Amino acid sequence: MCGIVGIVSNKSVSSSIVDALKKLEYRGYDSAGISTLNKGFIDEKKCSGRVENLEKILFENPSIGDLGIGHVRWATHGVPNKINAHPHSTEQVSVVHNGIIENSDKLKKEYESKGYIFKSQTDTEVITVILTDYLKTENLIDSIYKTLNKLIGSFALGVIFKDFEDVVVGARRGSPLAVGYGHNENFLGSDSYALKTMTNKISYLDDGDFCLLYKEKIEFYNFDKKKINKKIFELSNEENIAEKGDYKDFMSKEIDEQSYTTKKCIHEYLDQSRNKINIYNIPINPSKINKIRLVACGTAYHSCLMAKYWIEEFTSIDVEADIASEFRYRNVKLNKDDLYIFVSQSGETADTYAALEKCKKRGLKTCGIVNVVESSIARLSDFVLPIHAGPEIGVASTKAFIGQMMVLLLLTLKISKDRNDLNENNYKKLISEIKILPSLIKKTLSKQKEIQQIARDFINAKGTMYLGRGYSYPIAMEGALKLKELSYIHAEGYAAGEMKHGPLALIEDGMPIVVLAPKDRFFEKTISNMQEVIARGGKVLMITNDTSEILNENIRFKFQLPDTDSRISAFLLTIPMQFLAYHVALLKNCDIDKPRNLAKSVTVE
Ligand code: AGP
């Protein structure tokens, strides 16, 4: 989960590399570095911390050269200091790497015995050393090829060479890598967004591919060293829009966009005049689906948990939701009559990709639900459903979660309708509620100030709990994840009915507790669970569409949601969860878009 850039041009490249690194900072921001080729020698500069630190170094001591590579790091091997920052260079070679080399210890020993000395604690440095060693006896292509064949693990690489003054090399196995086409210059980047100001013509490396970028051409090779051609994609304008505008941070912009993005997503999949869901080419006939398996990580996993409730409610199909890092290694009984759905905002999450690969290798029917349509998961899936949320830059996922839920809901209803599992009235009722959701989201967004006021209750809390039952339980989990990642306060999402089986012991006088209590069939039970918490000193923030006054005296604060069909209340419940995490983090002075220790796109295991 680092970011890689490479540029070969007929003009100085360092400022363009730095600009692209800034766009990649969402992938990692604990150190940064750059190498350029300047009059036959490799000029490497690096530092711990953000790209702005690197900029200061370059301001004092500019890097010169028409060709170079850059890196932002999310540490896997070795603490985030200057020595471990990328690039890793010898006199001959300079390398930037995203991913993990699993056999790096073994390779280190092998090359130490040949007399090489390693400076860093990283796994990456072995790549530099192996390449340097091969170049003593082999030509460029064979050196790259043989080096790649020695590496076990996942990686995307960018490399420059002292003796090959006109080339930047890129290679991919497991971690994403894009190339961009320019006039008399070509580019390498961890994603197309990094290259957006330089080009809108992009190709993607597939697993095992490597490429040689020259000023006027790009050569692609596959894992067999055979020259190959690549499809060129033209990026749409939307992919080019990812600016903060007047917003303080990307997260507040992305939260605010949710009414619009939901509307857009509904518009893409729902024929509103005929109440028809336009999702075709499902890779398996809906009436023949035996089971649905949903696989994802983090927030995307929570959207799968939500879909599990919907699939159980609206269809007669058996359903499981799995965390990808578990699913990929478990002895899951895979079946050709099951539909496998992989959900990912980035479409690059290593565990989700590996889980998809596992199913593809067995010839199973796969569906990818992604935000980034050119992503690896989208390209590998048999069938792709984009969520149409537009670029999401804040590390904490917000509008993508709402988009994932919407696509999963519409897919569920489509399958349900095709199987005649849902009666016409029920279907029509849900569709009419879906149509008005964007306006209800807008209404809920307008109540941000109320949550901002209550946020202060949480800043000194040792910990907190989010409680929900039924459809609210996945949202409780998502709310807790959001608070953890943004404000570093310990938070857990619990099924409210589970409290008495242990977690109730944690409740102390004054502990802030969030209770999600939409007026659904669980409402009374949730209220009883809430009373148990209040009786033990919990200070409750209740989120509900219930309008009765009875409970008010016991509750610290009640956030009133607009009324909606309880089966889809998840969309509205999510919004105060996002606001709460955002405002607590803001009050604690946390970095909203770049929380500590995290990165947006998790391309390592
Ligand atoms: C969400 O706020 C997180 N940052 C994280 O859990 C994220 O949802 C997860 O890493 C999965 O990412 P993906 O959707 O890009 O696959």
Side-chain angles (χ1 to χ4, degrees), residues 113 157 161 238 313 320 326 331 345 413 424 476 530 552 568:
S113 70
L157 304 176
F161 306 85
E238 190 185 78
E313 181 77 25
E320 287 292 343
E326 290 295 315
N331 189 15
Q345 187 285 130
L413 293 179
E424 192 61 24
M530 183 176 81
N552 285 7
I568 58 169

Side-chain angles (χ1 to χ4, degrees), residues 297-420:
C297 302
T299 288
Y301 167 68
H302 294 151
S303 75
C304 293
L305 271 184
M306 194 64 236
K308 181 178 157 138
Y309 281 84
W310 285 326
I311 293 166
E312 281 173 350
E313 181 77 25
F314 303 135
T315 80
S316 51
I317 304 172
D318 191 15
V319 54
E320 287 292 343
D322 274 289
I323 293 169
S325 55
E326 290 295 315
F327 177 90
R328 65 183 286 192
Y329 292 115
R330 269 175 41 218
N331 189 15
V332 177
K333 304 295 171 280
L334 303 170
N335 188 322
K336 66 174 178 36
D337 297 325
D338 298 348
L339 174 63
Y340 295 83
I341 301 178
F342 300 85
V343 183
S344 173
Q345 187 285 130
S346 62
E348 301 294 352
T349 300
D351 285 319
T352 312
Y353 184 81
L356 165 62
E357 230 178 1
K358 170 173 166 168
C359 294
K360 284 289 290 186
K361 278 185 188 145
R362 309 264 184 104
L364 302 167
K365 307 289 187 309
T366 60
C367 167
I369 296 181
V370 298
N371 196 25
V372 182
V373 285
E374 300 88 5
S375 61
S376 304
I377 289 173
R379 281 179 291 132
L380 191 63
S381 303
D382 294 320
F383 170 66
V384 184
L385 294 173
I387 62 168
H388 300 288
E392 188 182 70
I393 308 298
V395 165
S397 189
T398 52
K399 61 176 180 173
F401 178 61
I402 294 276
Q404 288 158 354
M405 288 201 296
M406 182 49 77
V407 171
L408 284 161
L409 174 62
L410 293 171
L411 179 63
T412 304
L413 293 179
K414 163 79 180 160
I415 290 173
S416 160
K417 187 90 191 350
D418 287 1
R419 292 168 63 96
N420 286 323

Side-chain angles (χ1 to χ4, degrees), residues 23-24 26-27 177-179 189-204 235 239-240 372 374:
K23 297 202 172 65
L24 287 176
Y26 73 91
R27 303 177 72 91
L177 199 57
V179 298
S190 287
D191 64 22
S192 55
Y193 170 61
L195 310 180
K196 67 161 210 157
T197 49
M198 301 184 275
T199 181
N200 68 342
K201 288 195 169 50
I202 299 283
S203 290
Y204 296 93
L235 296 181
E239 275 129 0
N240 285 336
V372 182
E374 300 88 5

Side-chain angles (χ1 to χ4, degrees), residues 411-556:
L411 179 63
T412 304
L413 293 179
K414 163 79 180 160
I415 290 173
S416 160
K417 187 90 191 350
D418 287 1
R419 292 168 63 96
N420 286 323
D421 281 342
L422 199 65
N423 73 43
E424 192 61 24
N425 284 347
N426 219 341
Y427 175 82
K428 276 194 182 146
K429 162 98 169 45
L430 280 158
I431 294 293
S432 63
E433 293 280 346
I434 288 171
K435 285 186 196 167
I436 57 165
L437 252 181
S439 65
L440 298 182
I441 290 177
K442 198 169 184 178
K443 217 167 164 183
T444 314
L445 287 169
S446 71
K447 288 158 69 81
Q448 173 165 196
K449 275 222 156 61
E450 294 180 26
I451 295 289
Q452 188 176 1
Q453 277 155 15
I454 194 84
R456 202 161 282 284
D457 279 16
F458 288 73
I459 54 174
N460 295 317
K462 243 191 348 206
T464 179
M465 281 186 210
Y466 288 64
L467 309 180
R469 293 184 86 116
Y471 298 117
S472 309
Y473 173 41
I475 307 304
M477 293 178 72
E478 172 58 9
L481 175 65
K482 226 63 325 157
L483 189 78
K484 269 186 264 209
E485 68 175 335
L486 283 168
S487 72
Y488 321 141
I489 293 172
H490 184 242
E492 290 307 327
Y494 262 104
E498 265 295 291
M499 287 299 283
K500 53 192 171 295
H501 300 291
L504 209 51
L506 294 171
I507 307 293
E508 285 174 1
D509 205 26
M511 184 178 184
I513 304 286
V514 181
V515 177
L516 305 181
K519 201 92 173 83
D520 56 15
R521 67 176 196 263
F522 309 103
F523 182 69
E524 277 73 26
K525 291 185 192 307
T526 310
I527 297 307
S528 303
N529 299 140
M530 183 176 81
Q531 298 295 15
E532 289 156 12
V533 167
I534 292 171
R536 285 153 184 90
K539 262 204 288 183
V540 167
L541 162 58
M542 181 187 184
I543 319 277
T544 185
N545 56 336
D546 176 59
T547 47
S548 62
E549 298 290 316
I550 340 153
L551 294 161
N552 285 7
E553 64 201 57
N554 291 333
I555 296 165
R556 163 83 176 100

